[in-house]
Amino acid sequence: MSRYAIRENTPHGDLLTWNGRVIVHNSRGELEFLLTGDIRIIGCPRSIPPEQTIALPHLPQFAHHRFPLRREDYP
């Protein structure tokens, strides 16, 4: 399964983290739909092991979303 991460859109941007864990998600399209700002969605580097990541749906800020996203939830 592919994992995507969020990176600051700067030449040497850091990956976005929550409590020290890299935020990842399995859908690039969902990340692009939910997040705005000066960021880039990238493939999560293989050097980052799963235990050092947290899936976007597990973040408290996204608890009110149903995953996978459904078009009818966003009129």
Side-chain angles (χ1 to χ4, degrees), residues 14-58:
D14 291 328
L15 295 174
L16 270 60
T17 62
W18 186 79
N19 285 349
R21 297 168 72 186
V22 175
I23 300 167
V24 297
H25 191 51
N26 62 359
S27 171
R28 179 185 189 102
E30 288 185 351
L31 284 174
E32 290 171 346
F33 176 77
L34 291 171
L35 304 174
T36 62
D38 205 16
I39 59 169
R40 289 186 56 200
I41 307 301
I42 63 166
C44 186
R46 295 182 192 270
S47 60
I48 299 174
E51 58 272 8
Q52 291 179 9
T53 66
I54 185 166
L56 184 84
H58 296 141

